[in-house]
Amino acid sequence: MQTTKRTGPTNIVVRKTIRILRSAANKNNAPIWRYVAELIDRPRRLRVAVNISKINRYTEDGDIVVVPGKVLGAGTIDHPVTVAALGFSEQAVEKIRAAGGKVMHILQLVEENPRGSRVKIII
């Protein structure tokens, strides 16, 4: 008997995140969540890693940001933003919270904002 090799993410949390994002995109007519799911469904070596400095450069006070990957702690941030991602380094969490911002998993943001309105994707 020949078995086929599994493709796509093997991490159960990542698979669940992709499934819920696609469901939310269909249910709420929000193509942003489908696009985020496509970005997460890439091979791990191609997944996004964004530094705090990039978030600081492309956001303004009070923005909501989605990073379809991991947020790293290089650089500084000087204004409060809400950042949703698959993962965060400890330094990144400390710096975002020190600036008055909020850190969450992507699924928490989908629950709070099912339509995906006023959300920026940083890749």
Side-chain angles (χ1 to χ4, degrees), residues 28-48:
N28 301 307
N29 193 21
I32 186 171
W33 300 132
R34 185 174 297 106
Y35 181 62
V36 172
E38 287 173 14
L39 291 173
I40 295 172
D41 198 16
R42 302 161 102 180
R44 190 168 176 182
R45 68 186 178 277
L46 299 178
R47 209 168 289 149
V48 178

Side-chain angles (χ1 to χ4, degrees), residues 68-79:
K70 190 167 186 173
V71 178
L72 305 175
T76 59
I77 188 160
D78 57 14
H79 55 273

Side-chain angles (χ1 to χ4, degrees), residues 6 8-25 33 36-38 40-41 47 86 105-108 110-111:
R6 174 160 172 55
T10 55
N11 182 330
I12 190 75
V13 175
V14 174
R15 288 188 0 223
K16 181 179 177 186
T17 301
I18 292 167
R19 191 170 59 245
I20 291 172
L21 283 170
R22 287 183 176 146
S23 170
W33 300 132
V36 172
E38 287 173 14
I40 295 172
D41 198 16
R47 209 168 289 149
L86 280 180
H105 190 272
I106 292 174
L107 293 180
Q108 290 173 297
V110 172
E111 285 178 26

Side-chain angles (χ1 to χ4, degrees), residues 47-86:
R47 209 168 289 149
V48 178
V50 174
N51 284 308
I52 290 289
S53 59
K54 189 171 189 180
I55 293 173
N56 189 50
R57 202 174 320 129
Y58 293 110
T59 61
E60 296 167 6
D61 194 353
D63 278 352
I64 303 169
V65 175
V66 171
V67 177
K70 190 167 186 173
V71 178
L72 305 175
T76 59
I77 188 160
D78 57 14
H79 55 273
V81 292
T82 301
V83 182
L86 280 180

